[in-house]
Amino acid sequence: MAPEPLQSDAMVFFGASGDLAYKKIFPTLQSMVRRGRLNVPIIGVANTPWTLEQFRARAKESIQTHGKFDDAVFAKLSTLLQYIAGDYTDPATFKQLCTAIDGAKRPLFYLAIPPSLFATVAKGIATVCQPEHARLVLEKPFGRDLGSAKVLNHTLHQWFPEPSIFRIDHYLGKEPVQNLIYFRFANPFLLAGWNHRHIESVQITMAEAFDVKGRGKFYEEVGAIRDVVQNHMLQTVACLAMDCPHDNSHEALRDARGELLQKIRPLNTQSVVRGQYRGYKQEPGVAADSRVETFAAIRFDIDNERWTGVPFFVRVGKCLPITATEVIVRFQPIAHPVLDEAQLPGANYFRFRLGPEEVIAIGTRVKKPGERMVGESAELVAHHQPPDEMEPYERLLGDAAMGDATLFAREDSVEAAWRIVNPILNDKSVPIEYEPGTWGPSDRLTPPGGWQNPEIEK
Ligand code: BG6
């Protein structure tokens, strides 16, 4: 008998008339078709009563607005599209879907819908369509705290085993985040020093110069900690700090990330500073007395042999002076008898710019010409790439369609990340107000040597 094909042979996405589909999914599908990575029926499902022609028109408008529209590629994509209008609670919707995917052995179901509907749709797929080797792709958030994440995972496992669940954290699909892992393990000089004996502190800044972009209602439900710390930031910390995976299998990398997250100490309110930009309360959908944070600075501690005593600081926020995500790994300053100066804190570091462009740089000291052994700072840029032209969504959907789960968040790491932030989620204190365009209350919680603010890349 021929082996089962690995590649998904149909792609279904729920939430086809929604915002995410409009902004991200259609442009991604066109890119996948352009690269020859997608040539299977694509079935959009939503409750908007569109005809197929209206659905195609929506796809076209979406790509023209948010992607790089290409006539020939779009024509090909159009022939793959199908549309089902229906209610997710109605078995008739799923019966129609079964007919549409008829014969598919490994259909991929992408749930670009609110998490409150995950269980209903997963059940509909499993009980009505009963596909044998289905793959389920989910958008964050996976729950809103540890308890709800466990319930959600348990619910989904009634119908889908863990290996067929793909939880998207688009940070894991970013090329610079993968390069972080590559760079760490490909350079022996770095392997030897990547621990508490040499590293003083780590800081990550995820700064966004824009506000909540009209998503006030959504943001009120999450705040910065649920929106980007529990997922993107903690997965980045895991990639930075994990031990070397045992091999290059899908699961070994996920094991290494999960094991690291298990070692991060749960937070308490002393390790967090929350801020809110002035004007947030006036955003549509935001409560006049909202205490939701749009900024957070957090100190994480990792209780394992490698990282004992090394603080990991994470700072995220909206309406900050720049849009950039950057990691700074600082080495411990050491006094040396040869030098006529004390080593400056923070002079020796690795800098990883994770977005919008990609940079890997090394902060050094070099001697100033003259008789004395005194120096100046110099930064060596090892790598500078413009923003990756393959969007994380394309990489991730392509991987899920091949059954490769390496870049997806597994149940254990999602729950471990919730365990870390859980104690601070119900903090009802008033966040510190900050002026848009400033670094917020960064000075209330600072790494040794202070924050290194990301700047416009030269
Ligand atoms: C999303 C958050 O997950 O990530 C947004 O919901 C945030 O609030 C976005 O703006 C940032 O992603 P990126 O790739 O632009 O850094």
Side-chain angles (χ1 to χ4, degrees):
M1 232 172 65
E4 288 285 345
L6 281 177
Q7 178 135 27
S8 287
D9 41 9
M11 188 180 279
V12 179
F13 66 107
F14 289 83
S17 61
D19 213 37
L20 185 71
Y22 189 70
K23 289 188 181 145
K24 292 271 184 213
I25 301 176
F26 291 119
T28 300
L29 295 176
Q30 188 194 252
S31 301
M32 290 174 79
V33 171
R34 180 193 295 121
R35 270 185 246 269
R37 294 183 88 202
L38 185 61
N39 188 18
V40 298
I42 304 167
I43 302 135
V45 188
N47 53 16
T48 310
W50 283 333
T51 61
L52 178 56
E53 276 325 301
Q54 285 171 311
F55 181 56
R56 286 182 172 143
R58 170 84 170 177
K60 184 171 184 179
E61 189 191 307
S62 141
I63 300 165
Q64 284 169 335
T65 317
H66 295 286
K68 288 188 193 133
F69 186 78
D70 177 319
D71 269 320
V73 183
F74 183 74
K76 166 83 181 144
L77 171 64
S78 279
T79 62
L80 301 173
L81 292 178
Q82 298 179 40
Y83 183 67
I84 294 173
D87 187 328
Y88 301 149
T89 58
D90 183 357
T93 307
F94 294 93
K95 289 204 180 101
Q96 252 187 291
L97 182 56
C98 305
T99 313
I101 60 166
D102 185 35
K105 288 198 164 55
R106 292 180 190 275
L108 178 148
F109 298 94
Y110 180 5
L111 275 47
I113 52 177
S116 53
L117 293 170
F118 285 172
T120 311
V121 170
K123 184 177 173 191
I125 296 167
T127 54
V128 183
C129 297
Q130 298 177 333
E132 221 181 311
H133 302 289
R135 291 166 179 150
L136 193 69
V137 179
L138 303 172
E139 272 296 329
K140 81 174 177 70
F142 317 112
R144 43 178 294 106
D145 54 21
L146 179 57
S148 55
K150 282 187 167 170
V151 170
L152 178 60
N153 283 331
H154 178 75
T155 308
L156 294 174
H157 288 156
Q158 291 174 43
W159 307 295
F160 291 87
E162 181 61 22
S164 58
I165 299 179
F166 296 76
R167 299 175 190 80
I168 292 190
D169 183 317
H170 78 279
Y171 261 60
L172 290 175
K174 283 181 185 254
E175 179 65 26
V177 174
Q178 290 187 54
N179 205 353
L180 193 61
I181 300 174
Y182 179 89
F183 190 77
R184 274 192 60 195
F185 295 114
N187 294 296
F189 70 93
L190 207 144
L191 278 180
W194 210 247
N195 54 50
H196 68 96
R197 280 181 287 282
H198 302 277
I199 290 175
E200 177 194 59
S201 67
V202 176
Q203 54 173 282
I204 308 176
T205 296
M206 177 185 178
E208 296 183 311
F210 45 84
D211 59 18
V212 293
K213 287 189 173 167
R215 295 196 307 159
K217 190 163 173 285
F218 158 80
Y219 210 79
E220 280 285 274
E221 295 290 312
V222 288
I225 296 170
R226 284 189 172 92
D227 188 34
V228 295
V229 176
Q230 183 272 344
N231 35 68
H232 307 329
M233 290 298 98
L234 280 172
Q235 290 293 346
T236 305
V237 170
C239 294
L240 258 172
M242 68 185 178
D243 285 335
C244 186
H246 299 301
D247 54 52
N248 68 354
S249 65
H250 303 176
E251 294 311 315
L253 224 120
R254 301 170 98 199
D255 287 346
R257 289 199 305 261
E259 279 159 21
L260 188 282
L261 290 170
Q262 303 286 356
K263 299 288 179 205
I264 301 183
R265 211 179 290 164
L267 296 170
N268 58 49
T269 44
Q270 277 80 60
S271 35
V272 181
V273 169
R274 296 160 65 249
Q276 187 188 81
Y277 66 81
R278 200 167 53 77
Y280 173 71
K281 293 190 189 73
Q282 283 74 55
E283 299 275 359
V286 171
D289 58 353
S290 173
R291 294 184 175 192
V292 166
E293 76 284 348
T294 61
F295 170 100
I298 304 180
R299 176 192 162 126
F300 294 99
D301 287 276
I302 304 176
D303 292 320
N304 68 5
E305 158 62 23
R306 186 193 286 271
W307 294 114
T308 295
V310 182
F312 281 64
F313 287 82
V314 167
R315 173 176 64 155
V316 303
K318 304 273 185 202
C319 285
L320 300 188
I322 187 174
T323 298
T325 301
E326 196 160 270
V327 177
I328 305 288
V329 178
R330 276 190 184 149
F331 286 83
Q332 289 172 9
I334 33 167
H336 204 290
V338 160
L339 310 180
D340 293 330
E341 63 183 2
Q343 275 257 350
L344 296 174
N348 251 204
Y349 60 84
F350 278 101
R351 181 168 72 87
F352 299 93
R353 172 72 65 103
L354 306 182
E357 64 280 85
E358 180 182 359
V359 176
I360 300 179
I362 305 170
T364 62
R365 296 282 293 167
V366 289
K367 186 179 170 303
K368 270 192 200 160
E371 283 167 22
R372 298 192 60 225
M373 290 295 266
V374 293
E376 59 194 352
S377 295
E379 190 179 74
L380 312 174
V381 176
H383 178 72
H384 189 174
Q385 285 273 104
D388 185 18
E389 76 134 38
M390 189 193 275
E391 286 262 347
Y393 271 87
E394 182 181 349
R395 180 172 292 118
L396 292 172
L397 269 187
D399 282 3
M402 288 303 292
D404 180 347
T406 316
L407 301 179
F408 293 84
R410 205 171 55 189
E411 174 191 18
D412 54 333
S413 69
V414 169
E415 291 183 8
W418 279 121
R419 183 190 53 79
I420 299 162
V421 298
N422 218 50
I424 57 157
L425 291 177
N426 291 324
D427 184 356
K428 296 281 185 294
S429 61
V430 178
I432 301 164
E433 192 176 68
Y434 63 94
E435 284 301 313
T438 68
W439 284 103
S442 294
D443 56 356
R444 304 283 184 109
L445 187 76
T446 55
W451 289 103
Q452 184 166 324
N453 296 331
E455 292 173 359
I456 293 172
E457 218 46 69
K458 289 181 201 93

